[in-house]
Amino acid sequence: MELILAVVSGTLFAASFYLLLRRNLLRFVIGIIILGNAVNLLIFTMGRLTREVPPVIPYGQKVIEGAYANPLPQALILTAIVISFGLLAFTLVLVYRNYTVSRTIDADRLTASEPEQDVDLHTQKKRLPA
Amino acid sequence: MKVLLVLPVLIPAVTGILTLLLRRSRFAQRALSVLGAVALLGASSAVLWTVQTNGIQVAQMGNWAAPFGITLVADSFSAGLITISAFVAVAVAVYALRGMDVEREFFGFHTLFHLLMMGINGAFITGDLFNMYVWFEVLLIASFVLLVLGNEEKQLEGAVKYVGINLVASVSFLTAIGLLYGFTGSLNFADIATSMGNIQEAGLEATIAALFLVGFGIKAGLFPLYFWLPASYHTPPAPVAAIFAGLLTKVGVYSLIRIFTLLFPDPTGYTKTLLLVVAGATMVIGVLGALTERNVNRLLAFLVISAMGYVVMGLGFFTTLGLAGAVFYIFQDIPVKASLFLIGGVMERETGTTEVGKMGGLYMHRPLLALSFIVPAFSLAGFPPFPGFWGKLTLVQAGLATENYLIVAIALLVGVLTLLVVAQVWARAFWSPAREEGLVSTDSPLQRSVLQAPIVVIGVALLAVGLYAQPLFDLAQQAADNLTNTAPYIQAVLG
Amino acid sequence: MIRSLILQIATRLLVPILLLFSIFMLLRGHNLPGGGFVGGLVAASAFVLYSLAVGVDGARRVLRLAPRTLLGTGLACSVGAGILSLATGASFLQSLWVKVPLPGLSDPLKLGSTLIFDIGVMFVVVGTVLLMVFSVEDRVPGLIDD
């Protein structure tokens, strides 16, 4: 099980890096989403997987007897999910707002804040699609 | 002790909440903002004083004993940083009374400013890895909104770049936390430090260290991860830029120093060399960028990068003297950078342009501003008797002691180039003949003094530290002792 | 914006149920799955549903308080719970408990400062979600003006 989750997490990392390297800002945002999930899965796997024994103390007892699933990674992931949810909402609105002003989601055309000089090193036809 | 250590986080939180609830009254917001900053300075100084007299201070949140709960720890390094940050916060809060427009104030500048301070202080005094991640996110989200506040096109664009790269940095940090947790089973700094020896695979340790280096390196603006910094720091108004330049990169480099000294005390193989290479490249790239830049705020942003190189160089030596130099350099660089960005804001306000070459004659029109520019600028270049000189001197000594001659030569060369940069700004913006059209600012003398007072106060403080550096240097020395000999830190946390 | 009659009628029934359910989630949260965050999301979804049915202005009127005020109140509650424990000499955010004997019940009612914290979290979540949704929805018509 650990192996499967490790492979899934690795695949998610790879997919997100591919998206993060695109010039299209929407793809970039999707890459961030996938990256967050990849890390959450990684933390979950690193906390060791224990099946079918939730860390809940039975009624009337003081402690759990025997092995139980590690609750801490789940708490960490929950926190990380909440944080990335907030950040993602902000990022999406930011990209959208920026689009309404600059009319582009191509990262290379975001040059309003840059000094006015020719910085484009490649001609357009040599470039990969965004 | 339970109360005192919480205050650096609690006071900005309460101030932020109150300014949010009282957002209809501009006067109440401003009064609260300044009062909150002053109270923060008081509380931080009290923490510093307690740490100086009674040693490392620890507070357990919710009374959960370490390593199970979240621990707040203040040693000399943390306490010094929160005190200096609070000092800068007071200066910025006063400057913002005039340097901030009504619209931004209504949309929550004061609230966000104090929440940002809360995040910064939290990151400085937490003793828990995941808690540090949460504080990073708190300060990030506050800085995101501060950056876009005002909705100008260039701000939105700078924010897209800043937000994108910082999210990636956070994920890198979080990945490192996940891996480290998987192998040590703990998130408490002190607890992890005691069980780091159990990690058998050297490759894994290097991986975790590299992930931390990438995460914090992006936040600190280190080579080759610095591109976002000059692309965004020149877009917000001066008070926001000042707090960003003064504090945000310092949080990144603080975390770098804390993690590397506590968790990776004897780095295997190439980490030391890597840090020194990164440090050298950061210094050179930063100063070269500043040399070619004509926009005053972007020029200053490049100088922020260059200064980070010196700090990382001190860390790369991994000796007490090197760390003392690095800590001293951070301590003096916070007010230097904040004050330079505040001055940049006044220069833009007075002349109506950000181009250094078009300013001209500021010395004639505003002699006080020109004088208060000299102190931070020449401190940056490492000129005696300004505090930057003592920081660089210590770093150079540490470099010579560890026989890293090449990096010392680079550091000295970069110092000369920095001098060239600030001399150029001085000559073009201040000393060149007065402009025919005069100044465009319509501020009354009283309004101008609100802008000038914080800059002058920081300048005087820097000059005082430069002339009598011993107390601050002792603090840095003590901090460095705690960083190289981690036993007292671990003892204080785990009891 | 075209208003759907079906959605409007359904909303009228769903909103009170959702709000009640959110309070239930909040209160059961200490010992069972639930709590301020989930409760806050449920409550926020009630208002979001209402805003979809009758528009953002209507939802703002029903909410009475501005989302930012809710946000501030919630933060004040949560931080206040921490300060309360500090004021009684305990550690920051340490749980304090009082037992209130209720007539007709054998077990006394246990009230903790965690409840204040959780209520604060609920307000923060409602305020944040509504602030985001309202400001995005408000801008949709005029955002792309071509």
Side-chain angles (χ1 to χ4, degrees):
Chain A
M1 196 62 199
E2 269 93 350
L3 187 67
I4 299 174
L5 281 183
V7 171
V8 172
S9 172
T11 315
L12 287 176
F13 268 113
S16 72
F17 288 154
Y18 176 72
L19 287 169
L20 288 177
L21 292 174
R22 310 304 297 269
R23 296 202 305 278
N24 184 327
L25 285 177
L26 267 183
R27 283 174 210 249
F28 182 85
V29 173
I30 296 170
I32 298 258
I33 302 173
I34 298 178
L35 191 56
N37 286 321
V39 179
N40 288 341
L41 211 55
L42 177 84
I43 298 176
F44 185 61
T45 320
M46 289 309 273
R48 308 295 186 273
L49 305 174
T50 318
R51 292 184 70 187
E52 294 177 355
V53 262
V56 177
I57 304 173
Y59 190 75
Q61 289 183 358
K62 289 281 181 198
V63 290
I64 316 178
E65 285 164 7
Y68 56 91
N70 186 356
L72 190 65
Q74 302 181 26
L76 300 186
I77 293 170
L78 186 65
T79 316
I81 288 176
V82 171
I83 291 174
S84 57
F85 164 70
L87 290 177
L88 193 68
F90 179 82
T91 315
L92 271 177
V93 174
L94 178 67
V95 170
Y96 192 35
R97 281 290 300 154
N98 187 57
Y99 172 70
T100 61
V101 179
S102 63
R103 311 296 289 165
T104 180
I105 51 168
D106 185 345
D108 275 3
R109 291 194 194 165
L110 298 180
T111 49
S113 64
E114 305 290 328
E116 290 163 7
Q117 49 194 310
D118 201 15
V119 288
D120 207 349
L121 297 175
H122 302 290
T123 51
Q124 197 62 38
K125 62 180 174 186
K126 274 190 194 167
R127 320 195 63 188
L128 296 169
Chain B
M1 211 11 57
K2 286 171 182 171
V3 182
L4 188 59
L5 220 48
V6 187
L7 286 182
V9 180
L10 203 54
I11 291 174
V14 171
T15 317
I17 293 166
L18 288 179
T19 50
L20 179 65
L21 289 174
L22 297 170
R23 65 181 182 282
R24 305 238 171 258
S25 158
R26 195 173 174 211
F27 174 76
Q29 274 198 333
R30 297 170 140 218
L32 271 170
S33 182
V34 174
L35 278 180
V38 172
L40 181 61
L41 180 58
S44 308
S45 314
V47 172
L48 180 61
W49 187 76
T50 321
V51 170
Q52 289 284 73
T53 47
N54 298 338
I56 298 173
Q57 297 297 314
V58 174
Q60 313 287 358
M61 294 301 92
N63 213 20
W64 295 99
F68 303 109
I70 290 169
T71 314
L72 299 186
V73 193
D75 61 355
S76 304
F77 192 15
S78 304
L81 279 173
I82 55 172
T83 311
I84 293 169
S85 321
F87 173 62
V88 169
V90 174
V92 172
V94 173
Y95 183 96
L97 295 180
R98 183 63 201 159
M100 199 40 80
D101 47 282
V102 186
E103 216 181 26
R104 287 189 171 92
E105 279 186 294
F106 176 75
F107 281 107
F109 164 74
H110 297 293
T111 307
L112 290 161
F113 169 57
H114 284 279
L115 292 184
L116 181 68
M117 288 311 297
M118 172 175 86
I120 290 169
N121 283 341
F124 281 151
I125 63 170
T126 185
D128 182 283
L129 205 48
F130 195 78
N131 194 234
M132 185 183 243
Y133 166 74
V134 174
W135 286 125
F136 263 97
E137 298 299 320
V138 169
L139 74 88
L140 268 189
I141 194 81
S143 69
F144 290 170
V145 188
L146 277 175
L147 198 57
V148 292
L149 210 59
N151 255 333
E152 290 167 25
E153 183 178 1
K154 61 169 190 160
Q155 281 189 305
L156 288 169
E157 225 188 80
V160 168
K161 295 163 187 170
Y162 176 80
V163 169
I165 192 77
N166 270 295
L167 289 180
V168 177
S170 297
V171 172
S172 172
F173 180 21
L174 191 59
T175 314
I177 294 176
L179 288 174
L180 202 52
Y181 172 70
F183 283 90
T184 59
S186 179
L187 292 166
N188 187 296
F189 284 155
D191 198 33
I192 299 175
T194 55
S195 53
M196 273 311 275
N198 300 341
I199 298 188
Q200 298 299 331
E201 299 155 71
L204 185 76
E205 196 181 330
T207 309
I208 297 174
L211 281 168
F212 276 123
L213 186 59
V214 170
F216 297 137
I218 290 178
K219 285 172 201 291
L222 300 183
F223 176 86
L225 310 163
Y226 62 88
F227 294 98
W228 59 274
L229 201 151
S232 58
Y233 272 22
H234 64 293
T235 58
V240 176
I243 210 80
F244 280 17
L247 293 174
L248 291 194
T249 47
K250 274 36 164 216
V251 181
V253 85
Y254 160 82
S255 314
L256 199 65
I257 293 177
R258 177 67 79 203
I259 299 270
F260 272 77
T261 53
L262 199 55
L263 306 188
F264 308 102
D266 22 59
T268 44
Y270 52 86
T271 314
K272 258 188 200 175
T273 324
L274 183 67
L275 280 175
L276 286 179
V277 170
V278 164
T282 310
M283 285 189 269
V284 172
I285 292 285
V287 81
L288 289 184
L291 263 178
T292 58
E293 210 39 81
R294 293 289 163 265
N295 176 325
V296 62
N297 291 324
R298 279 175 66 95
L299 184 149
L300 293 175
F302 272 110
L303 289 178
V304 171
I305 298 172
S306 180
M308 282 300 107
Y310 284 96
V311 179
V312 176
M313 178 174 86
L315 174 63
F317 295 149
F318 264 94
T319 58
T320 311
L321 191 62
L323 283 168
V327 172
F328 186 88
Y329 202 84
I330 299 179
F331 282 167
Q332 61 89 29
D333 200 48
I334 292 174
V336 163
K337 287 289 145 50
S339 125
L340 279 176
F341 269 83
L342 293 180
I343 293 170
V346 178
M347 286 160 78
E348 186 183 343
R349 216 183 158 79
E350 300 279 12
T351 59
T353 173
T354 54
E355 297 288 308
V356 176
K358 291 182 190 160
M359 288 178 171
L362 274 171
Y363 183 72
M364 277 287 292
H365 297 291
R366 299 277 177 268
L368 188 60
L369 181 73
L371 283 177
S372 40
F373 174 79
I374 290 182
V375 180
F378 284 80
S379 176
L380 197 61
F383 232 61
F386 302 112
F389 168 73
W390 304 111
K392 286 188 181 175
L393 184 68
T394 319
L395 286 169
V396 165
Q397 276 178 343
L400 294 178
T402 50
E403 298 180 350
N404 290 301
Y405 299 116
L406 181 63
I407 190 90
V408 170
I410 293 176
L412 292 175
L413 178 70
V414 169
V416 175
L417 290 176
T418 314
L419 183 62
L420 190 60
V421 173
V422 295
Q424 226 174 25
V425 175
W426 173 257
R428 285 157 170 255
F430 289 97
W431 232 347
S432 62
R435 288 145 54 100
E436 285 161 16
E437 68 267 43
L439 299 179
V440 298
S441 167
T442 52
D443 290 338
S444 70
L446 177 68
Q447 289 165 334
R448 214 162 50 229
S449 60
V450 170
L451 294 173
Q452 291 258 334
I455 298 173
V456 171
V457 169
I458 293 182
V460 170
L462 281 173
L463 194 59
V465 169
L467 291 173
Y468 185 53
Q470 198 59 39
L472 193 68
F473 190 78
D474 284 344
L475 184 67
Q477 184 73 44
Q478 204 180 341
D481 284 341
N482 280 334
L483 288 172
T484 43
N485 174 21
T486 52
Y489 183 95
I490 295 169
Q491 170 75 24
V493 174
L494 296 179
Chain C
M1 198 177 185
I2 305 159
R3 307 254 173 261
S4 150
L5 186 66
I6 301 172
L7 185 62
Q8 284 188 7
I9 302 294
T11 303
R12 227 180 273 170
L13 292 170
L14 277 173
V15 165
I17 297 174
L18 280 172
L19 287 178
L20 211 61
F21 184 62
S22 76
I23 295 173
F24 168 71
M25 287 301 270
L26 167 74
L27 292 179
R28 98 198 266 270
H30 189 70
N31 294 323
L32 292 164
F37 189 81
V38 185
L41 280 182
V42 174
S45 66
F47 287 104
V48 171
L49 189 66
Y50 194 80
S51 78
L52 287 177
V54 303
V56 173
D57 288 336
R60 278 189 202 276
R61 262 199 307 281
V62 169
L63 190 63
R64 284 164 196 269
L65 292 169
R68 274 198 263 175
T69 314
L70 275 179
L71 194 61
T73 320
L75 279 175
C77 276
S78 296
V79 174
I83 296 176
L84 197 68
S85 358
L86 271 185
T88 55
S91 285
F92 185 61
L93 284 175
Q94 190 175 353
S95 308
L96 306 171
W97 292 94
V98 284
K99 290 187 177 175
V100 187
L102 285 184
L105 283 177
S106 54
D107 289 339
L109 181 67
K110 279 172 75 184
L111 286 177
S113 60
T114 43
L115 185 65
I116 307 177
F117 184 84
D118 244 10
I119 292 172
V121 171
M122 182 169 174
F123 275 117
V124 171
V125 172
V126 175
T128 316
V129 173
L130 291 184
L131 189 61
M132 291 194 294
V133 172
F134 284 177
S135 47
V136 173
E137 281 195 24
D138 255 353
R139 292 213 182 113
V140 166
L143 198 55
I144 311 281
D145 40 20
D146 58 355

